[in-house]
Amino acid sequence: MIRNLVGIIMTGHGTVQTAVAAMKTGAFDYVLKPFKLNTLLPLLSRAMEVRSLRMENIQLRETVAIHELGKVIAFSSDLNAILNKVADATLQQCTADEVSIMLPTRDGKELYVAVSRGGHREYIVSVCLWSGVLPAWVARNRETVIINGKVDDPRFSPVNPRADIRAAVPCR
């Protein structure tokens, strides 16, 4: 769903069925042609108000989520509680399907999955390790890497994430 758009359908061949279908798919309004400008201007004004309210609502939800995350971090000494809250917030704010947080092992040479959320939880652990190449590189170089689909970077030649992963951002 594109949250920052308000859709208005204009047609010269409208039916009740197409109007209902348009509204069910999220159209703000359904206008039949021919129309007069004086009927369209108030509609556009209302659409702009609705868009503004939607954007404000999104910003408020994000602010509340950041505030809640900040409270957990500030008032908790439990690392697992903090990591779980960060994973939940990331899943929600990024509208991601899966999230995993990896931490360095005691020797700092490898990373392990500390928390995971999302659809294929049992698969996340093995996928995140990606034969250990990418997490080890991120841990060693302390550099963020963005992966989108097939990996052609020679530094990560053995890395072959699942085909359905559109983007992965291993962070330092």
Side-chain angles (χ1 to χ4, degrees), residues 9-25:
I9 305 296
M10 295 181 186
T11 182
H13 304 286
T15 65
V16 172
Q17 293 84 1
T18 58
V20 169
M23 301 309 269
K24 281 184 178 179
T25 58

Side-chain angles (χ1 to χ4, degrees), residues 97-117:
D97 297 322
E98 301 167 359
V99 170
S100 62
I101 298 175
M102 300 177 78
L103 297 177
T105 56
R106 289 200 188 274
D107 62 10
K109 294 181 180 178
E110 296 180 307
L111 297 176
Y112 70 95
V113 177
V115 176
S116 66
R117 294 280 188 277

Side-chain angles (χ1 to χ4, degrees), residues 59-81:
Q59 289 172 341
L60 287 172
R61 275 191 259 135
E62 289 172 351
T63 301
V64 168
I66 290 169
H67 175 71
E68 291 297 320
L69 181 58
K71 281 189 345 188
V72 168
I73 292 171
F75 298 115
S76 178
S77 60
D78 180 11
L79 179 62
N80 285 333

